[in-house]
Amino acid sequence: MKLLLTGAGGQLGKEMIHICAGQSDVALCPLSRHELDISNRDHVIRTVADIKPDVILNASAYTKVDQAETDREAAFQVNALGSQYLAEAARDFDCKLCHISTDYVFDGKSNRPYEEDDRTNPMTVYGHSKALGETYVRQICLKHFIVRTSWLYSAYGSNFVHTMLRLGNNPDIESVRVVKDQTGSPTWTFDLARCLLQLVRTEAYGTYHVSNTGWTTWYEFAKEIFRNAQIDKPVVPVHTSEFPRPAPRPTYSVLSSKKLIERGFQPLRSWNAALTAYFQSIKGE
Ligand SMILES: NC(=O)c1ccc[n+]([C@@H]2O[C@H](COP(=O)([O-])OP(=O)(O)OC[C@H]3O[C@@H](n4cnc5c(N)ncnc54)[C@H](OP(=O)(O)O)[C@@H]3O)[C@@H](O)[C@H]2O)c1
């Protein structure tokens, strides 16, 4: 299987490279933003024509959630139009497209896990741009997998786990204040990437939610990070109102694994089991 990976320099992109290295039947063509800017339509078409992949996996995105509020055009250029161009190329060159999306397409007001067919209602520019990207992919390319995920962390790049470890290990900081009123499902990119590889080997096209199972708050997540890292520092629960941000964060963005289960795929392990496994994996490095 020849797999063209966009956004290869991002945290999910790097994880895909790591996972694919152990797969003898996967010929990976990883392209960073510098090598393929997905918002350049001609370049997208030429690249797909040259590589002739069986699968395009779009791990690239404009992910600066707060900055997007004032940089609307750039967010839509990448997350909506870039996705459109990839979908057109996948359609024209008859390959599968696996497109990564987000819990931010929902409004965060639910009181039960979001299912794949629930109505989207994004509350931020980033969420709107990602939702429009999904729409283009769905309309243009029949052979699509749209995979929504949430609260990603990895050994690569900046993410919540790295931030907590940095604060936790800073001797000048006595305690760490973390919001307790946002609930979601932390997801290790390693588990997500393995599931993506499984999906793209099939023809079970459609929209999926892929997150580590169970849910927690950022506050409880931080405490679990410190426990795993054996950091003995107080974590202080605070309200979202104490951390005002340009883009409002969803209060509740748990994603149900319903579609994975219905289609016979294994849902991901629980978020706390994944976190423990993550810490074991970095210890061994
Ligand atoms: N991080 C999360 O918590 C989270 C949660 C839910 C869903 N997601 C989704 O998961 C996917 C992967 O996210 P991630 O955490 O790996 O993000 P990331 O680390 O920010 O990686 C995104 C990559 O896309 C690249 N990129 C930006 N604009 C591009 C363009 N025009 N053409 C090609 N590449 C471009 C970025 O390059 P530069 O760094 O050079 O800009 C970066 O390497 C995204 O679709 C995101 O929306 C993420």
Side-chain angles (χ1 to χ4, degrees):
M1 173 170 67
K2 197 188 253 191
L3 198 159
L4 191 168
L5 173 69
T6 68
Q11 65 171 337
L12 178 58
K14 286 180 177 159
E15 192 74 83
M16 283 306 304
I17 294 172
H18 171 223
I19 296 280
C20 289
Q23 307 287 321
S24 53
D25 64 334
V26 177
L28 184 68
C29 307
L31 300 178
S32 66
R33 176 198 192 136
H34 161 71
E35 291 157 318
L36 175 62
D37 175 350
I38 66 161
S39 64
N40 180 333
R41 189 172 188 278
D42 290 345
H43 198 196
V44 168
I45 303 294
R46 255 186 291 124
T47 304
V48 176
D50 284 351
I51 294 178
K52 299 186 182 64
D54 302 300
V55 179
I56 301 172
L57 196 153
N58 180 23
S60 66
Y62 182 106
T63 54
K64 299 180 196 94
V65 176
D66 287 324
Q67 205 171 305
E69 294 298 307
T70 47
D71 201 7
R72 193 182 171 88
E73 205 182 318
F76 274 81
Q77 191 71 38
V78 181
N79 295 343
L81 291 179
S83 308
Q84 176 191 332
Y85 304 151
L86 289 169
E88 288 170 351
R91 176 198 61 198
D92 294 349
F93 295 94
D94 193 29
C95 59
K96 300 175 184 178
L97 172 61
C98 180
H99 175 74
I100 312 304
S101 192
T102 168
D103 51 340
Y104 280 55
V105 298
F106 295 114
D107 58 18
K109 294 177 181 158
S110 180
N111 51 18
R112 56 142 180 91
Y114 284 101
E115 296 177 0
E116 286 80 356
D117 297 332
D118 282 340
R119 190 177 67 93
T120 57
N121 185 28
M123 305 301 277
T124 59
V125 170
Y126 168 73
H128 275 288
S129 68
K130 293 292 290 185
L132 187 56
E134 284 190 7
T135 302
Y136 287 145
V137 169
R138 229 172 255 121
Q139 286 176 349
I140 296 167
C141 174
L142 282 178
K143 295 181 175 180
H144 70 256
F145 302 90
I146 293 171
V147 175
R148 298 188 187 123
T149 188
S150 60
W151 293 28
L152 289 185
Y153 64 90
S154 68
Y156 318 102
S158 67
N159 56 62
F160 185 76
V161 173
H162 284 170
T163 303
M164 286 303 116
L165 292 179
R166 184 169 40 79
L167 297 174
N169 288 319
N170 183 338
D172 298 331
I173 296 174
E174 275 176 19
S175 63
V176 180
R177 298 160 69 76
V178 183
V179 293
K180 64 166 186 184
D181 49 0
Q182 292 170 27
T183 299
S185 305
T187 302
W188 184 18
T189 52
F190 179 79
D191 288 1
L192 170 62
R194 283 198 307 185
C195 184
L196 295 176
L197 253 194
Q198 264 190 312
L199 278 173
V200 300
R201 289 181 199 280
T202 73
E203 294 183 349
Y205 303 117
T207 302
Y208 292 86
H209 289 172
V210 182
S211 290
N212 282 121
T213 46
W215 53 82
T216 189
T217 63
W218 289 111
Y219 163 68
E220 294 290 345
F221 186 28
K223 285 207 306 184
E224 196 62 10
I225 293 165
F226 280 10
R227 195 184 63 76
N228 274 281
Q230 293 170 342
I231 293 172
D232 186 19
K233 186 171 281 193
V235 182
V236 181
V238 298
H239 283 104
T240 296
S241 55
E242 289 193 40
F243 280 106
R245 298 177 109 167
R249 299 309 197 252
T251 304
Y252 180 94
S253 67
V254 179
L255 300 176
S256 153
S257 307
K258 185 167 173 249
K259 180 78 80 60
L260 276 183
I261 295 165
E262 274 175 6
R263 300 253 174 115
F265 296 101
Q266 180 78 25
L268 304 194
R269 63 185 140 184
S270 71
W271 71 267
N272 22 14
L275 187 67
T276 302
Y278 166 77
F279 274 99
Q280 276 162 358
S281 78
I282 55 172
K283 243 188 246 160
E285 277 170 7

